[in-house]
Amino acid sequence: MSKLRVGMVGYKFMGKAHSNAYRALPMFFPETALLPEMTAICGRDPVGLEKARTQFGWQSSETDWRKLVAREDIDLIDINAPSDAHKEIAIAAAQAGKHLFCEKPLALTLEDANEMLVAAEKAGVKHMVGFNYRFAPAVQLAKKLISEGRIGKIHHFRAVFLQDWILDPEFPLVWRLKKEIAGSGSHGDLGAHLIDMARFLVGEFQEVIGMEETFVKERPVSESMTGLSATKSGADAPRGEVTVDDATLFLTRFENGALGSFEATRFAAGHRCTNAFEINGSKGSIKFDFERMNELQVYFTEDADDVQGFRRVLATDASHAYMDAWWPAGHTIGYEHTFTHEVHELMTAIAEDRQPVPNFHDGVRCQEVLVAVERSIAERRWVALKEFQ
């Protein structure tokens, strides 16, 4: 089987998720035309990096991403470092002829995202952006039902991504709460997934209007951080300014006439990871919640009156996307499997000499919506997406 040699920048939350996907793909999707070889992992902390290299199963390591990009034994650069590093690494990798796999949001700004897309297209490399939730089999089923017209013309899309991991005002000031590193808060981190899901299932945005709030303005400076956890230096730790949103809500009108509402927050007490949407059409409705990711709630108006109502579809049969590679029907899968499916699409697309989906074009379109909402909040008005295109 042909191999694609991967060099990965980042080794914490997303680094672990991506590493697991690379390791799982050959076991569960052995017929994939191109399989990943975990050649090198890159990070700034030599001690943490070596621990990750051993734990995750990478062959070698680099503490300078420039050396990683320059290596002749690397075919693809996987970027899951903080958002402020995406642009520089991606452009250098594209210029070196490496394929690209970059986590969302694609960049800090729309301008940066466009530069990344232009560089990748000019270099003629393949490029993918990490919107993993598309790859849940239940979401793929939702896409199928919509594409086949089984719920009719779409009228409404409403989505929420609710978390509570920074509800405590004494939670440390991690990098995700700094605009210069993350670009935005819940809006870009959580809202980006909702925006991509809406584009995937419903279509392009026409105009938006939004509002945001930062509930905790200052936090203790963090001493160390890993993924979504952190420690502070003590009770007297210095405090720093939170420069991103804690919550952002917005409304949209889609180009096809459907209406949409979006809410992304890290201050929804009791919600660990409620990533959910509901779609209402002229012939039925669909409901999905990632906390019950194997299920899709489906309603069809054509059902007989005495049995109408939402039905629970367990998307674990061989007829559902990707599930024939896993377990017998009824045996559920989890969060990590969405990344395996994502990597399967990446490897298959490269083998077939086509662009993976979603790719940097999708990343740019998502970034346009993120920026349009930010402009709407700043200028207190409806903003049309055509202002950015």
Side-chain angles (χ1 to χ4, degrees), residues 38-267:
M38 298 168 66
T39 304
I41 186 172
C42 181
R44 290 174 294 184
D45 173 21
V47 175
L49 178 63
E50 180 57 24
K51 180 180 178 181
R53 187 197 68 77
T54 303
Q55 179 182 347
F56 299 165
W58 292 84
Q59 297 172 7
S60 64
S61 64
E62 297 284 356
T63 55
D64 185 342
W65 65 260
R66 294 170 183 82
K67 292 182 179 179
L68 181 73
V69 166
R71 284 177 54 161
E72 294 183 358
D73 62 342
I74 299 293
D75 304 309
L76 178 142
I77 296 294
D78 177 327
I79 307 166
N80 56 78
S83 303
D84 63 329
H86 290 186
K87 174 188 172 182
E88 188 176 14
I89 299 172
I91 290 177
Q95 292 173 344
K98 316 295 186 185
H99 300 305
L100 301 166
F101 180 26
C102 185
E103 267 302 326
K104 46 56 59 186
L106 193 56
L108 287 180
T109 67
L110 177 58
E111 291 75 18
D112 287 353
N114 271 309
E115 286 186 44
M116 291 167 65
L117 172 59
V118 169
E121 295 282 89
K122 182 177 180 180
V125 300
K126 308 307 180 195
H127 45 85
M128 188 175 198
V129 62
F131 289 118
N132 63 294
Y133 293 106
R134 284 193 186 201
F135 294 92
V139 172
Q140 293 286 318
L141 176 58
K143 176 68 171 179
K144 180 174 182 285
L145 295 176
I146 293 168
S147 298
E148 292 176 354
R150 292 164 69 179
I151 67 166
K153 177 178 173 58
I154 305 301
H155 297 312
H156 294 285
F157 177 89
R158 62 184 64 86
V160 297
F161 205 146
L162 314 176
Q163 295 182 344
D164 67 355
W165 59 282
I166 59 169
L167 189 62
D168 181 359
E170 293 303 306
F171 186 88
L173 186 67
V174 296
W175 70 262
R176 293 175 187 272
L177 304 181
K178 300 178 182 180
K179 188 175 181 62
E180 68 274 16
I181 300 176
S184 65
S186 62
H187 184 45
D189 186 22
L190 308 180
H193 280 300
L194 301 180
I195 291 166
D196 181 71
M197 191 68 75
R199 291 187 60 253
F200 178 54
L201 296 174
V202 179
E204 299 296 344
F205 290 64
Q206 179 174 307
E207 58 181 349
V208 298
I209 189 168
M211 62 179 178
E212 68 176 9
E213 185 57 65
T214 302
F215 299 112
V216 176
K217 314 295 185 184
E218 291 185 339
R219 291 183 177 273
V221 174
S222 60
E223 184 176 59
S224 63
M225 62 187 82
T226 302
L228 300 185
S229 63
T231 60
K232 57 185 179 182
S233 57
D236 298 325
R239 305 183 79 84
E241 182 184 3
V242 176
T243 52
V244 300
D245 60 291
D246 287 330
T248 294
L249 292 78
F250 71 94
L251 303 175
T252 192
R253 186 182 300 275
F254 293 93
E255 289 183 355
N256 60 14
L259 303 180
S261 66
F262 298 76
E263 179 181 3
T265 181
R266 294 164 171 164
F267 272 71

